[in-house]
Amino acid sequence: MTIQWFPGHMAKARRQVQEKLKLIDVVIELTDARIPQSSRNPMVDEMVNNKPRLLLLNKSDMADDKVTSQWIKYYAEQGIQALPVNALKDKGKQEIIQACQELMKEKHEKLRAKGIIKPRAVRALILGIPNVGKSTLINRLASKNIAKTGDKPGVTKAQQWIKVGKQLELLDTPGILWPKFEDELVGYKLAVTGAIKDELLDFQDISVFTLRYLANYYPDKLIERYKLDEIPEDIVKLFDDIGTKRGCLMSGGLVDYDKTAEIILRDVRSNKLGHLSFERPNEK
Ligand code: G4P
């Protein structure tokens, strides 16, 4: 895959996130539940440093529930609290508020010890790679409670805080980081889930990865969707079988691989094969 990332853009994104980090108590890192590791930027660890962090596995409605549970456990073992969420629905809102409170408990207790009886609301930033659902989640949590601040003389940058209940305030603009995919496999996973613009992709290439992954972890779903008798070893034969079943034929009866690849990716992204995850903890 030929995708280029420009160091200038990266440095700017990093600076912008660092500016936002100064304003908040808790980082809410959003990832795609179907590929929780690949949809993170490893640099977050270093940037966030000691700030408490909540990891949200968004689009959990599209992911394989069993695998999502494995991820939650995996992160818990590393001392990272993770929650599955669906930004299109209210599911998870109370849990997010509660988790942010928990993460600030220690700090609040210190404030109480100092005699500050009523600590202010927890301030949080939603952070993640493009297309992971940051804006959707912010809008969902906002429910019109946008508090305007910062538009006074002498305050250079207008920052808006969104009130989520009484105890949580979110910065209205998310922190955006680029995904990291020097690793080809990470690039494929981001592509399958639609995190990379389609114009940049070689559909055949991505669908070969997708079919191999499905044949390995979800053979029954593959057989059911494309009414296959079995899954052949040879990936070209698998393409031929699916293309033939779906009527993707060119003149002369040859299978149109571009069209077949497009159908496979469209089906996967619209959950036609059911809920799928494309990454597992400790996967080789
Ligand atoms: P971003 O700010 O992080 O860039 O992401 P954004 O909120 O714009 O969301 C990207 C796409 O993901 C949107 O689809 C949005 O509806 C979808 N999305 C966000 N959260 C969820 C979720 O929990 N479940 C599901 N199923 N979808 C979610 P879109 O506008 O149709 O864009 P696209 O899919 O055509 O790129």
Side-chain angles (χ1 to χ4, degrees):
M1 265 191 295
T2 50
I3 299 166
Q4 291 182 335
W5 292 92
F6 301 102
H9 293 174
M10 294 180 185
K12 191 172 167 205
R14 190 190 165 105
R15 264 199 313 277
Q16 284 173 342
V17 168
Q18 266 159 346
E19 281 304 309
K20 290 178 197 288
L21 285 174
K22 287 182 195 158
L23 305 169
I24 52 103
D25 307 303
V26 171
V27 174
I28 300 179
E29 189 186 349
L30 208 55
T31 66
D32 187 317
R34 295 167 293 175
I35 49 166
Q37 271 313 98
S38 295
S39 56
R40 299 177 81 186
N41 181 320
M43 205 176 253
V44 173
D45 285 339
E46 171 214 326
M47 286 173 71
V48 167
N49 205 357
N50 288 327
K51 291 230 185 212
R53 189 181 344 169
L54 175 65
L55 196 63
L56 298 183
L57 274 50
N58 191 35
K59 308 197 184 183
S60 61
D61 55 307
M62 302 181 85
D64 181 337
D65 285 339
K66 244 175 37 204
V67 180
T68 302
S69 303
Q70 289 170 12
W71 278 112
I72 303 290
K73 190 163 163 255
Y74 169 85
Y75 287 121
E77 280 162 8
Q78 297 185 12
I80 300 173
Q81 186 179 2
L83 292 174
V85 291
N86 171 1
L88 298 178
K89 299 258 165 70
D90 261 339
K91 180 181 170 276
K93 186 168 171 173
Q94 282 315 316
E95 287 86 346
I96 293 172
I97 297 174
Q98 210 178 338
C100 288
Q101 284 289 312
E102 277 296 311
L103 287 168
M104 284 298 290
K105 216 170 161 184
E106 212 177 302
K107 194 166 170 183
H108 280 167
E109 267 158 19
K110 275 188 193 151
L111 288 175
R112 273 196 201 94
K114 279 186 188 163
I116 301 166
I117 310 294
K118 203 168 165 248
R120 60 167 172 73
V122 177
R123 290 191 172 153
L125 165 70
I126 293 195
L127 180 74
I129 66 167
N131 219 26
V132 78
K134 299 179 296 300
S135 317
T136 311
L137 182 66
I138 290 175
N139 287 334
R140 171 66 47 185
L141 293 174
S143 33
K144 295 190 199 131
N145 283 325
I146 299 178
K148 225 178 176 175
T149 56
D151 51 352
K152 302 178 193 99
V155 181
T156 45
K157 259 193 209 139
Q159 287 293 348
Q160 291 198 348
W161 293 96
I162 293 165
K163 288 184 190 297
V164 186
K166 285 199 177 81
Q167 291 129 345
L168 180 63
E169 289 180 4
L170 282 182
L171 258 189
D172 73 329
T173 50
I176 304 170
L177 285 175
W178 61 99
K180 183 176 187 286
F181 51 96
E182 283 137 31
D183 180 343
E184 198 180 43
L185 202 58
V186 173
Y188 284 139
K189 291 175 181 180
L190 289 164
V192 181
T193 54
I196 299 173
K197 282 200 183 78
D198 281 347
E199 304 86 77
L200 298 170
L201 302 176
D202 180 334
F203 269 36
Q204 284 194 29
D205 210 15
I206 309 303
S207 57
V208 166
F209 163 80
T210 309
L211 283 184
R212 289 215 166 105
Y213 202 92
L214 294 176
N216 195 9
Y217 288 105
Y218 301 105
D220 296 345
K221 291 185 187 228
L222 201 52
I223 287 174
E224 192 188 325
R225 174 71 192 167
Y226 299 110
K227 303 190 171 46
L228 306 171
D229 298 325
E230 53 166 11
I231 297 182
E233 283 279 315
D234 180 8
I235 196 81
V236 179
K237 171 87 170 65
L238 181 54
F239 253 96
D240 281 338
D241 289 353
I242 295 175
T244 309
K245 291 275 181 190
R246 296 302 298 260
C248 304
L249 299 176
M250 299 188 292
S251 56
L254 289 176
V255 168
D256 182 336
Y257 292 120
D258 283 331
K259 207 167 162 201
T260 309
E262 214 179 302
I263 284 182
I264 293 164
L265 286 183
R266 209 177 49 215
D267 282 356
V268 165
R269 288 176 184 169
S270 56
N271 275 30
K272 290 282 180 343
L273 283 85
H275 300 180
L276 307 170
S277 292
F278 286 92
E279 194 162 62
R280 279 139 173 86
N282 305 316
E283 193 174 45
K284 289 282 174 291

